Amino acid sequence: MSTGTNRWLYRFWVALILAFAGLHALHLSADFPNHTPWFHDWAKYTDEGWYGNAAIRAHLFGRWYQPWDFNPAVALPVWPFLEWLLFFVTGVSAEAARSLAIFFFFASLLLSYTLLRQSGTRRAALLAVTLLVTSPFLYCFSRLAILEPLLIALILAALNLAVRLPRFRRPVLVAVAIGLLIALVALTKTTGIFLLPALAWAAVLPLRQKRRLALQCAAAATATAMLAYGAWIALVVHAGLVRDYRYLFFINTYPKPTQRIWPLVSFWWSFHGGLWIDHILVPLAGLVVVGAIVGWRSPWGWRLLADPVFGASVLAVAGYILFMTVQNHPQARYFTVVAFFCMFLVALGADALLGATGRAPQFGLGLVAVVAGAALLNGAWTLSYALHPEYTFVDAAHEMARFVDQHPNRNRLLVSSSGDELALIGHVPALCDDFGTLPLHDKIEVYQPGWFATWNGIDAGTLADLHTHFSLEQAASFRAFDDPQRNRLVLFKLHPLRDGEVRDQHDENLQIALPGDKFDIPID
């Protein structure tokens, strides 16, 4: 094929990538696509508000910190700080917050390309980016204002520096920059520490012939990361916010099964969860890794195993699956990190096979054919989501905010697990009924909210807490989303008990409808 033809093919390929990437930036106020395999992930109606609530509160209500409520910015300040800066320009809105996530998704695409170009060919880098932009899984989650898009961009930036350390004139100084990125990773999402072995591999492998320099770089990066993170912890302690810092880890400690083999069961669920990403590409990534290990003596196998990007990708996938195994609580959104590195493995494997000798290129062509078919299917799926946006949740949030304003009830403050998300969209002040450093029954006594919102049914424990001070009157209902357990957002007025009565929170009768309540949704 002539050089001119090759050039035009590559231009068409890049144009196709840009077109699919651009789809991610359309209709940012639309719902997380309905009727997906990931419909049950609660990030779409909680996490955008939770992890940005400091920025939302600061701009709307003049305070970033709400005592005794859920304040994740104390432990994870990077994302809310960036949102806080952005809201000065755009105002507070879901579209603005999601545009920030899309910016980091675009940055991750560029960083992915430059990372794979470090030791691979242009076709490998373009193939990886193609798989990323056509993935319906990544289309859904990259458009949410959650922590993963920023986390991925930061770790990819660090990896780009790490694999190029030998090329820099002052590699130790670059290692300091890597250390700062490590601190930002940990202050963006603490699970990012499970990606550090991948980063260490990417940094040390290119320096394996220069052990002294490798040790100097490792020491510089480690010391910088510890000092930067330690400085933030010192600030938290000085501000008296240690309780909020610890609370984030407390709520993310899930109960473990009593069986001795529970780690194996948890590992299976975490490992099997990779199929959330893709039923074709993820198994192919696994086959590439197994093939490289089995064929380590072959030129293509050794090429992969000696590639710091390939090894780092394997360790990144393993590290995140380890995190989900230890946590025993895999969620679909966690696999956005895994998705990037699985796509890298597939692209690097195909490129290595195509560039080998003997029969390997035939296997490479077969792999490319399967990958191309998966990309076509995924591209059609993603295109369908992009061309059929729905706006049920944003409409419900605005309608709820209007209802609250048109029907005053003592206090505009809303209690809800989705409260911060509703504040982001509808600008209604909110408390979280799920999380907080003070029990809900004490928190509502302090804040005296006027409203409560829930999905489809009322949690019996939440009802008991509310019953200590209030009776509930169902006021309105709004349709949203596709989850059969959460497709109806129900709003209640909270009425103080007569003569300021406060019921005993240990009374089991508080978990049922009581005289004075007016609602018809079930108690869970």
Side-chain angles (χ1 to χ4, degrees), residues 57 63 65-69 71 244 431 437-438 443 447:
R57 293 167 181 165
R63 63 183 184 280
Y65 179 79
Q66 187 131 290
W68 306 299
D69 200 33
N71 293 286
D244 294 272
L431 293 173
T437 55
L438 199 66
K443 190 161 60 173
Y447 283 100

Side-chain angles (χ1 to χ4, degrees), residues 205-247:
L205 190 62
L207 294 172
R208 61 187 180 276
Q209 303 299 330
K210 303 176 181 179
R211 295 183 179 180
R212 183 177 179 181
L213 180 59
L215 288 174
Q216 290 175 337
C217 289
T222 302
T224 302
M226 293 178 66
L227 285 172
Y229 194 87
W232 177 257
I233 298 302
L235 185 61
V236 168
V237 173
H238 178 73
L241 299 174
V242 174
R243 186 179 182 185
D244 294 272
Y245 176 86
R246 290 175 176 170
Y247 183 72

Side-chain angles (χ1 to χ4, degrees), residues 409-410 413-415 444 448-453 466 469-473 492-496:
N409 184 46
R410 300 180 302 102
L413 185 64
L414 171 75
V415 177
I444 60 176
Q448 291 295 308
W451 301 89
F452 168 65
L466 294 172
H469 295 83
F470 302 106
S471 61
L472 284 71
E473 177 191 356
F492 295 81
K493 287 184 177 181
L494 297 177
H495 299 295

